[in-house]
Every structure is written in structure tokens, then in C-alpha cells.
Amino acid sequence: MSEKLDQLQKHALEKPEEYWAAAAEAIDWYKPADKILDDSGAPHFYRWFKGASCNTCYNAVDRHVEAGFGEQTAIIYDSPITGTQSKISYARLQSKVARAASVLKSLGVEKGDRVVIYMPMIPQAAIAMLACARIGAIHSVVFGGFAAHELATRLRDATPKVILTASCGIEPGRVVEYQPMIEGALAEAPGIVKNVVVFQRDQATWNMKEGRDLDWHDSIHNAEPADCVPVEATDPLYILYTSGTTGQPKGVVRDNGGHMVALKWSMKNIYNVDPGEVYWAASDVGWVVGHSYIVYAPLLHRATTVMFEGKPVGTPDAGVFWRVIEEHNVTTLFTAPTAFRAIKKEDPNGDLVKKYNLSKFRSLFLAGERCDPDTLHWAQDILGVPVIDHWWQTETGWPMASNLLGVEQLPIKAGSPTRAVPGYDVHVLTPEGEVLAPGEMGSIATKLPMPPGCLPTLWNADQRYIDSYLSEYEGFYATGDAGYMDEDGYIYVMSRTDDIINVAGHRLSTGAMEETLSELDDVAECAVIGVADNLKGQLPLGFVVLKSGVDKANDDVVKEAVSQVRTQIGPVAAFKHCVVVQRLPKTRSGKILRATMRKIADSEDFKTPATIDDPAILDEIKVALQGIGYAQ
């Protein structure tokens, strides 16, 4: 299908050291690697660019200033919530980061020490991350607004000397004060954190504690700039926690060298962005997308990155994305499909797009939750640019499968994030580890070693890393996703492996049923879960959210939904139950909480996930389920 891509993939898989050594030339090293791929820890542990010395902050900021690009805008901050905008040049960013790094040093933070960053979507969050990278400290960003208990578990695991925070985050219609959460966490995990540096925002005041707290503005204003500290390429840059099933969070570790090489490579090859262009990842610094594509990748590539403090709808309307794209000349937007489903629900005909000039806008990338074909087609129709569904995880740090717009655009197949990105050797396996034929559903796994940029291990938990990802299939990283591949090598990620339901011996994907429901004209968003059934083991149960302005009776919508699935997938799906709800429970990054919904339906005990956007939705779901005989 694509000679160019085939050659790239062949080179990356057959001669990985040669391939990634060439990519590494785009990064500035204090000392080159002694060994490009260190496999001395095989079969579980691989390290890229062993013996190399580098600094991520130098590559993201200083080298651009030294090359004469100091006046170029590095960060555009756009906050419709506070009605403020600002721009920070690379030279100003360098000055701010160097002084923030100096403050950390004055508090005793050294190379290898941990710093927790608990901040909203403001430029200070990016400055905080880069300041840590500058002196070789390891940052762990915790989503601003996370509950005290969840923050405490992360403090105990990472043992940071310092917390960098702000007085509050701001959501539409409410101010989220951070001090109660941080004080609660410090009380629950005492004796770890020595100092808290606070950026005071106008909307809430932090009550400073003598001897512990420092004012961000005052301390940075008075600091002498600190230089970049060389670190090993294999040293950790950051820890990012994902919620583990045991309640003990998993600290995904990212190294310095491989991370820079992979992210820099991805900006041109995947996103087709050139240095100097404006790139916007509409996510949050608390998630992996924020780490990789709000902060590090755009700055490593000398692009301009947008930090947006707002929502896709309601700040002030479903046209805010188009306003930001027009005002800031954004070429490429990366966001979650759930953002587009929210926009589609409010503005089903895309009327608001017509109010803006999007002539500089070239492509939309979607990831974070499976993109249903209906949302993809809708976005293509209203925007008239390629809409690229791509697939990756917190653990990988950058895309595993994507259409490579900077290499050669392949035909877009709705429902697929296209083919594996060069360096990832992706297979679909049976439970016994056999490779499945095209079209057959199984577990998606990637052959080891994975390319640079992926997690080398979990923080202080090598065995848990092996148990969580490497023990299911020998020589493979198990993604936890299920799906299939077609004859052209296109990957179809249908659901998490635990969302494959077994109906009377038939393995069925809830993702395929969701795809079918989303094609209904009245449906803005949907989810399908498997619920326990005495006769068939499991049965599918659908939830649908209607588009604004639909006045059809709920019973009629449900009848259509049941008929649609039976027609498209067949009676084997045994799809008989569906309920109309006002909204679906999601994490703050947009993932639908299917496992929690399943527990509610099956009347099992459940813990409200720490990442939930609005806990009140779970009660709404319970009431809706009780109306059809579940959640008793």
C-alpha cells in the first residue's frame, strides 16, 4: 500500500539501532551514546542511548535561543474562563525557567530528587516542568483538583522534596481551591514534603504557612538564573501515575534521551508540523498528552504551543475551538474524540464553524478514547481537513499507530488509527500467544524491545512492571487493548481487553456495538457495557445520550437502537437492553468509565474513581439502570 512507509518500518524493525541513531541527530547531546540499544537487561528491560549525556530543557528551550529564535513565541496562553491571553517568547521562557530552577536548587532539590507539580492549565505549569528538567530533578505532575487521598498516595510513592502549585484551578462556573486538597494530602502523608511554592491567582488566595510556603512570583523574581545540568539519557525525566486496579498507583517512568528522540521525530513525521508553526494539543498537563504534546514535543521541535484553559463547549460556546484556531493561526489540533462528540451534541450541523476563518488549519488528530466512525466523518465534513484517529497510551508516551502525515498520507479508514508507527512491531494474539489472521479479534501486543520514548519500567516497581505488562505474552508488551488487523495492516482498537464480553460462548466487542449505535441520527454519544446474565454469562447493555433538540420519546429511541444493533451485528449480539441518559460518566481526560458503570449495573461494590469529572453522574446512571431492572 505504501512503499515509503513499508521501507521505514522495515528499517526500524530490522536495524533499530541504525534507524534511531539517525533520528537522534536531531537532538543536541553533551556526549553521544556508547550503545544505542542496551539489551543487557533482556528479556524485560531495554534502555536506549546508554552512556549518552543530555538535558531535555536545553533541547526544548536554550538551544533555540542560542540559534537566534529567542523572539519566536514558545507558548500562547488562552483562557476563556478568566478572559486572559498572553504570549511567552523562547527567550522569556528561558529566563523564567532558569530562575524557577534556581528556586528549586535553593530549596535543596538536586539531580534525581522528585518534585510534585499540582497545577491548572497555566504557563507556570510548563515552566515548572522545564525547571525540573533543567536541573535533572524528576517531576511528577498530578492533575490539579485531584482529591487529597489520591495526592497523598502519590506523595508516599514519589517522596518529593517540594510541591509546586497554584492557589486554585478554575472550572466553568466554579473556583477549585487547591490548598484544602494539598493540606489534606500533607496531613495524610506527613514528613515527606519540605516546601510548597505557590503561584497566587486572583480568584483564590492561599494562606501561606511560615517556614514551609514560598510565593512563586516573589521567589522567582529574586532568583539568579540556573544553568542546565547534564543527565544520563537513561535517567528519569518524569513519573506519571496511572490508577492501578489495586488502588496503588502505577508510576510510569519516562527517560530523558529516548523521550526526546521519539517526540522530536513524531512532530514532523506524524503531525507534519514544521518549526515555527502553531500546534495545539487541547488536553491538560496532568495527562500524558499534556506532557508529550503540550509541553515537550512542540518545544523540542521549536513549534509554538497553545495552553488552553477552557472546555470545548460552554466557554462560552461550542465554537471556542474554531475561535482559538483562527486567532492563533493553529495548523494542527490534537484532542480527544469526546471533545468532538460534545461539540457535535451542541452544534449538530457545525453552524459555528462557518463564523471563523480556518484557512491555516491543516489537520485534526484524535486520541484518548476510541473514535467512532460517525464522529470522524462528522469532523471531516464540517472541517474539510484530514481527521486522523491515532492510538497510544500513557505507557508508550507517543503514538503506536497513526497515519503519518509528514511521510505519506494513507487512505483514512474510519474506525482505525491506520498502521503501526515505525519502531512498533504490533500483533494481534490469541490467549495462548498465537498470531491471529487478519480480521480476527484478539489482544493487541507489541514485540519487545519497544522503540525509544516508551516506559522502561515503573517507579521503584520493576516486578510490578513485568507483572502488569510483560507476563501475559513472552517477549511482548501487552497493551490491554483488544481488536484486530485487516489485510492492509490497519489496526482496529475495539475496546479494552476487559470490555470484550462473552455472550453464550461468543466473544463480542462492545466497541463494535457502540460504533453501530453512534450511527443513529439522534445519538450524540453512547457506551455499551457487558452485564452479568444467569443464562448467557453476559449480555450487552447500551447507554445513549441524545443530541440537543431531539424531541423523540425515549422508548422510540431505545427501539431504534435495539433494532440497529440486531440488524448490523446480528441476533448473536443479544442486544435487548438500552437506556437514554443525560450524560455519561467520564474521567477528566474524557475516557468513559465503563468498568464503574458495569459494577453499578451488576449491583457490586465500587469505588468512585479519583479521575472522575463529576461524581454526581454515577447517581444518575444508577437511577436510569434501576428503571430497567438493574442496579438493585
Side-chain angles (χ1 to χ4, degrees), residues 380-595:
Q380 274 177 336
D381 290 346
I382 66 155
L383 292 170
V385 299
V387 176
I388 309 298
D389 176 16
H390 62 329
W391 167 64
W392 52 295
Q393 302 177 321
T394 300
E395 289 83 354
T396 65
W398 65 292
M400 284 189 277
S402 182
N403 217 323
L404 303 191
L405 291 194
V407 177
E408 175 181 18
Q409 188 184 324
L410 296 184
I412 291 170
K413 296 187 188 183
S416 170
T418 317
R419 291 170 44 171
V421 168
Y424 289 98
D425 193 0
V426 178
H427 297 271
V428 181
L429 306 176
T430 67
E432 297 70 42
E434 303 294 319
V435 175
L436 284 161
E440 290 191 31
M441 173 86 71
S443 295
I444 305 174
T446 300
K447 211 168 190 179
L448 298 174
M450 296 218 282
C454 299
L455 82 166
T457 188
L458 293 171
W459 179 251
N460 287 340
D462 285 351
Q463 190 56 48
R464 190 172 179 203
Y465 167 67
I466 295 168
D467 296 344
S468 298
Y469 303 108
L470 311 182
S471 58
E472 196 174 345
Y473 301 110
E474 197 174 329
F476 284 87
Y477 162 86
T479 66
D481 282 319
Y484 63 93
M485 256 191 216
D486 71 10
E487 299 76 12
D488 298 322
Y490 278 57
I491 297 163
Y492 290 77
V493 185
M494 299 308 291
S495 47
R496 296 295 286 167
T497 45
D498 51 11
D499 285 329
I500 293 289
I501 60 173
N502 198 321
V503 180
H506 298 281
R507 281 166 60 81
L508 298 169
S509 155
T510 54
M513 295 182 215
E514 289 176 6
E515 197 168 292
T516 304
L517 289 176
S518 68
E519 289 167 8
L520 290 165
D521 287 343
D522 301 321
V523 172
E525 197 165 24
C526 62
V528 176
I529 59 170
V531 292
D533 180 75
N534 291 336
L535 181 63
K536 298 199 171 184
Q538 277 183 304
L539 282 177
L541 170 62
F543 298 80
V544 294
V545 177
L546 304 182
K547 288 176 182 165
S548 296
V550 172
D551 54 5
K552 202 178 276 184
N554 287 355
D555 287 353
D556 292 340
V557 173
V558 167
K559 274 183 200 147
E560 280 178 29
V562 170
S563 163
Q564 176 94 341
V565 175
R566 288 182 75 81
T567 307
Q568 300 267 1
I569 295 179
V572 67
F575 187 85
K576 295 171 186 159
H577 298 290
C578 185
V579 62
V580 176
V581 292
Q582 289 298 310
R583 48 199 188 143
L584 295 170
K586 294 177 187 173
T587 65
R588 292 186 182 96
S589 64
K591 287 187 172 60
I592 296 168
L593 292 163
R594 293 177 182 80

Side-chain angles (χ1 to χ4, degrees), residues 26-28 30 54-66 69-70 72-75 88-91 93-94 97 126 129-131 133-134 228 237 256 259-260 263-264 291-292 294-305:
I27 296 300
D28 286 4
Y30 297 123
C54 59
N55 185 281
T56 295
C57 179
Y58 177 81
N59 276 277
V61 184
D62 298 66
R63 68 169 174 165
H64 307 317
V65 178
E66 289 171 13
F69 296 102
Q72 186 198 310
T73 300
I75 297 172
I88 301 174
S89 69
Y90 272 98
L93 182 62
Q94 181 188 36
V97 168
M129 292 164 75
L130 291 161
R134 191 173 192 84
C228 295
L237 169 68
N256 276 274
H259 178 246
M260 283 196 283
L263 291 190
K264 172 76 172 119
H291 283 59
S292 295
I294 294 174
V295 180
Y296 289 115
L299 298 180
L300 288 166
H301 195 55
R302 193 175 53 76
T304 296
T305 186

